[in-house]
Amino acid sequence: MSSSLWRRLAESGPFWMIVAGFCFGVMGVFVKLGSSSFSTAELVFYRCLAGVIAILAVALPARRPLWVPWPAMRVHLTRSVSGFVSLMLYFYAIGHLPLPTAVTLNYTSPLFLMLLTALWLKQPPQAGQWLAIVVGFAGVALLLRPTLDATQWLAGVVGLSSGLLASIAYMNVHELGRLGEPEWRTVYYFSLVSSLGAGLVMLCQPQALTPLSFGNLWILLGMGVAATCAQLSMTRAYCKGKSLIVASMAYLTVVFSTLFGMLIWRDVLPVSSYAGMLLIVGCGILSTAASSRR
């Protein structure tokens, strides 16, 4: 690749969102691989600990301030706790559902975000936005219908709940942006709180902890590297590109996860599931576009 082409790509928001979507998909692969050996809390702990270490390695030498005044800290804590619980639910769903199904359910967050905006901020959706919400959740029904059996219905509800809590986290991210908080500090507190929360859950079940070995360490390293690269790429994408275009391209994670599921686990979902995924992604993009105009 020529240096001039690389420079152009390095300044392209869509390019970095493609990288982020790919890396988030790779992270999902490692989470699913690790779910057979590690508990959900362990996976969340190691994933977020990698983020804490990566940010501290950059922030401390540059003497960037980590502490913030209480009004901003309160929002950081709300965002971090909701994000932590959402991540726990998301990783559980990945371990118990086909990868593309779990990822798509988590990406219902824009639909929930529009509903929460109407309830909390008293900004009722317009007719077209209501249609996007209704059609989007019809897609959820199509996606979950084949999995609502005795063994997977709970995982489906958990995956959908992760999307709901993620929407609460995103509302707080927006508030932090309004307060002038940098993205790296938002990611830092989320990673820190999630590491501590997952660590407490692990301490409550010490007998269930999985010893680290060369046979499983590569899964944790792969997950941590992929998650950190995804976070950094997504942050750069929003800095370099137009927010609406970049946010819409975030749904590439669903595409990559579907391809990984087919290649690695031979996941072939019913036609109705793929139709549901298309409805969720399409309505999610419309919801994102509507939210950006507010």
Side-chain angles (χ1 to χ4, degrees):
M1 182 181 296
S2 66
S3 58
S4 60
L5 177 58
W6 170 249
R7 283 196 296 269
R8 288 198 296 272
L9 290 176
E11 296 300 317
S12 169
F15 167 75
W16 286 109
M17 186 51 78
I18 293 173
V19 174
F22 177 80
C23 290
F24 276 126
V26 172
M27 182 198 76
V29 169
F30 281 111
V31 170
K32 192 163 186 66
L33 290 173
S35 63
S36 61
S37 302
F38 297 96
S39 68
T40 299
E42 288 176 297
L43 291 171
V44 170
F45 174 78
Y46 291 119
R47 176 255 186 264
C48 294
L49 182 63
V52 172
I53 294 173
I55 292 175
L56 288 179
V58 174
L60 292 181
R63 296 187 177 181
R64 294 181 177 179
L66 296 175
W67 188 254
V68 294
W70 171 245
M73 181 60 74
R74 179 183 59 81
V75 183
H76 271 298
L77 291 176
T78 304
R79 179 266 183 270
S80 298
V81 171
S82 58
F84 160 61
V85 179
S86 173
L87 191 62
M88 289 281 289
L89 298 178
Y90 181 38
F91 278 19
Y92 177 88
I94 289 177
H96 293 80
L97 292 172
L99 182 60
T101 301
V103 171
T104 306
L105 289 173
N106 181 257
Y107 274 70
T108 56
S109 52
L111 303 176
F112 284 115
L113 182 60
M114 188 174 292
L115 287 174
L116 291 176
T117 300
L119 294 174
W120 287 1
L121 303 182
K122 308 300 182 183
Q123 298 178 1
Q126 300 173 359
Q129 295 165 352
W130 274 120
L131 179 62
I133 293 172
V134 172
V135 173
F137 283 109
V140 172
L142 280 175
L143 180 61
L144 286 181
R145 187 169 59 87
T147 64
L148 286 180
D149 55 33
T151 60
Q152 292 186 315
W153 72 268
L154 176 60
V157 174
V158 167
L160 191 61
S161 300
S162 75
L164 170 61
L165 286 169
S167 68
I168 297 175
Y170 293 149
M171 288 186 66
N172 285 280
V173 168
H174 177 74
E175 178 65 15
L176 288 168
R178 192 184 66 82
L179 294 173
E181 281 297 290
E183 292 88 351
W184 68 266
R185 200 152 57 202
T186 299
V187 175
Y188 167 73
Y189 277 111
F190 163 64
S191 300
L192 179 63
V193 169
S194 297
S195 297
L196 294 174
L200 288 175
V201 175
M202 291 165 62
L203 289 176
C204 293
Q205 299 176 319
Q207 71 282 356
L209 297 181
T210 303
L212 298 181
S213 66
F214 288 108
N216 57 31
L217 189 59
W218 65 275
I219 294 177
L220 301 178
L221 291 175
M223 179 182 64
V225 170
T228 301
C229 290
Q231 289 282 357
L232 294 174
S233 298
M234 183 174 65
T235 301
R236 187 172 182 85
Y238 279 105
C239 290
K240 297 294 183 180
K242 295 181 179 179
S243 296
L244 175 57
I245 296 175
V246 168
S248 299
M249 292 185 69
Y251 282 91
L252 286 173
T253 302
V254 175
V255 177
F256 286 123
S257 298
T258 301
L259 294 175
F260 289 143
M262 294 173 65
L263 291 173
I264 300 173
W265 291 281
R266 300 292 189 268
D267 287 336
V268 180
L269 303 179
V271 174
S272 60
S273 293
Y274 291 116
M277 291 168 65
L278 288 174
L279 288 176
I280 293 170
V281 169
C283 293
I285 293 174
L286 291 176
S287 300
T288 301
S291 298
S292 69
R293 290 194 295 267
R294 287 181 178 269

